[in-house]
Amino acid sequence: EHAILKFGGSPIPEMEPPSAAEEEAARGDAGPGGVVFVLEMATLETAKIGKNYAILNCDDHKSFLLRNNRDPADYRPDILHQALLAVLDSPLNKAGKVKGVFVNTQKGVLFEVDVHTRIPRTFKRFCGLMVQLLQKLSIRASNGPNKLLKVIKQPVTKYLPPNARRVGFSVKSGLKNVSEYAQHLPDETPVVLTVGAMAHGKVDVSYCDEWVAVSEYPLSAACCIARVCNSFEAKW
């Protein structure tokens, strides 16, 4: 098991700064509206295994979790990795319409992700990056002082637009056509979209104005985000 965890001592790749095209897109759409994503109940927990710290996950650390009376099925940081890639790689974000991304972990750690951040493509590197973030509380761009990821103080509502429509997603809520729903929202009103980033359970937060279901079936966080992004891309 220890051999698997040696990635914790590997050098973490420097975070690349946003490209000129991304900066231009952000400057070109600084007006009202847009969407803010909040990824709730993410499972990011570090532990020292062998000589290094690692983000616990159900595949690499099953025996460690069982020895400590934890359910391995609850440790799914890959869900957050997929969800962040779905948001940050979306045409909606590349067009400058995603105004913010926040992650709230089950341990109560809240951090902000700059919308121009290039999240590592592989899960191994992503876990290394998250270890560094939770230990140092921020990750800077390789070419300057800009913090691309940073731990911030709770609650998340302090950072949300004051006039935003706050929408949460749950399969147990009323089923709606997401495309039609997005079309009927005023263009100038920001929208906060709350998605669960855990394996099972329900997001229970009080700041959402309404809860909707985007499918009659339970969807992964990444699939839900992709469906929602597609709807807002068609709107704008």
Side-chain angles (χ1 to χ4, degrees):
E1 184 177 12
H2 288 190
I4 298 175
L5 300 169
K6 298 234 180 204
F7 74 86
S10 303
I12 304 303
E14 291 183 314
M15 297 299 292
E16 297 180 20
S19 67
E22 290 168 333
E23 290 181 337
E24 183 178 351
R27 288 194 300 268
D29 188 46
V35 299
V36 175
F37 280 93
V38 182
L39 305 178
E40 286 281 356
M41 295 185 68
T43 51
L44 284 181
E45 186 174 342
T46 59
K48 191 172 185 180
I49 303 182
K51 295 182 179 180
N52 303 313
Y53 282 91
I55 296 290
L56 295 173
N57 71 78
C58 60
D59 290 328
D60 297 332
H61 313 122
K62 182 177 180 179
S63 59
F64 174 86
L65 292 168
L66 290 174
R67 285 199 304 270
N68 288 274
N69 298 317
R70 309 283 186 89
D71 183 359
D74 292 335
Y75 290 79
R76 294 288 308 282
D78 57 295
I79 296 176
L80 176 62
H81 183 217
Q82 295 166 8
L84 285 174
L85 288 174
V87 173
L88 299 174
D89 284 354
S90 67
L92 190 70
N93 184 43
K94 294 182 186 298
K97 290 295 186 179
V98 177
K99 304 298 186 181
V101 180
F102 299 91
V103 177
N104 215 345
T105 74
Q106 293 185 11
K107 290 294 184 179
V109 178
L110 175 67
F111 63 92
E112 182 178 5
V113 182
D114 188 285
V115 295
H116 299 121
T117 303
R118 290 190 182 91
I119 292 294
R121 303 290 149 184
T122 65
F123 180 61
K124 178 178 176 180
R125 288 193 176 190
F126 172 76
C127 286
L129 184 70
M130 291 299 102
V131 168
Q132 189 182 50
L133 173 64
L134 294 176
Q135 289 180 342
K136 297 186 176 181
L137 305 184
S138 66
I139 304 290
R140 298 180 185 273
S142 59
N143 69 337
N146 295 337
K147 293 181 179 180
L148 298 181
L149 298 96
K150 59 181 178 181
V151 175
I152 54 180
K153 292 183 179 180
Q154 296 275 15
V156 69
T157 49
K158 290 167 45 177
Y159 312 96
L160 304 179
N163 61 330
R165 183 80 164 265
R166 302 175 180 181
V167 183
F169 296 101
S170 171
V171 69
K172 297 182 180 180
S173 303
L175 181 63
K176 292 191 177 183
N177 184 305
V178 193
S179 297
E180 293 180 0
Y181 181 80
Q183 291 292 339
H184 286 88
L185 292 174
D187 288 346
E188 67 278 3
T189 302
V191 183
V192 175
L193 304 173
T194 300
V195 181
M198 66 291 190
H200 48 77
K202 180 183 177 182
V203 175
D204 186 16
V205 293
S206 59
Y207 60 79
C208 287
D209 300 320
E210 61 180 321
W211 293 86
V212 301
V214 300
S215 172
E216 59 186 306
Y217 307 108
L219 301 179
S220 67
C223 184
C224 176
I225 289 167
R227 179 168 283 202
V228 172
C229 284
N230 287 341
S231 299
F232 279 95
E233 287 158 17
K235 171 184 175 68
W236 286 313

